[in-house]
Amino acid sequence: MKRLVLIALFSVATTAANAQTNPYANNAAAIDEGRSLFNSTCTGCHGPNGAAGEFGPGLAIPGRTYARRTDAQIFDAIQHGIAGTPMPAHQGKLPDDQIWKITAYVHGSPVTAIAVPSSR
């Protein structure tokens, strides 16, 4: 019974995150703060400014395609991690507003390739 309740709560939380829009999308100051947060939190795996790292893929590689393109999908990947990959969950490590700012940076910055997804 507890497992069903936990699954239901996780499903509701995931649906809520997917239904949300990024409160910091297109906000230059928030994107800049997201860049700073990314560089202090994510560079160990993804490299400075998402240029590629030892463990995580580079986010600024031209021609790279992405499975997660929407803000809600990027937020979810940062918050809950990505199963079957080294991407850890940051829920409880970073508050949601910081995750949204990192999402705004990753999705909205012209530095990252995700701003111009490949057609491949």
Side-chain angles (χ1 to χ4, degrees):
M1 181 66 170
K2 283 185 179 183
R3 186 167 191 232
L4 287 175
V5 170
L6 289 174
I7 291 170
L9 288 173
F10 177 77
S11 177
V12 168
T14 301
T15 301
N18 287 335
Q20 286 183 326
T21 58
N22 189 339
Y24 301 107
N26 302 314
N27 178 322
I31 290 170
D32 190 52
E33 188 175 341
R35 180 188 55 75
S36 294
L37 289 164
F38 181 94
N39 284 329
S40 67
T41 306
C42 310
T43 56
C45 293
H46 292 286
N49 297 313
E54 276 189 55
F55 301 105
L59 303 176
I61 298 171
R64 186 175 191 290
T65 58
Y66 295 88
R68 291 161 186 85
R69 295 183 183 199
T70 68
D71 281 352
Q73 291 170 329
I74 296 166
F75 178 89
D76 184 66
I78 297 168
Q79 186 179 49
H80 297 111
I82 301 173
T85 74
M87 177 66 184
H90 287 81
Q91 186 174 30
K93 298 174 189 172
L94 294 172
D96 286 358
D97 71 311
Q98 289 184 348
I99 295 174
W100 280 120
K101 288 174 183 176
I102 293 170
T103 298
Y105 166 69
V106 169
H107 194 215
S109 172
V111 173
T112 60
I114 200 162
V116 227
S118 171
S119 60
R120 288 193 248 169

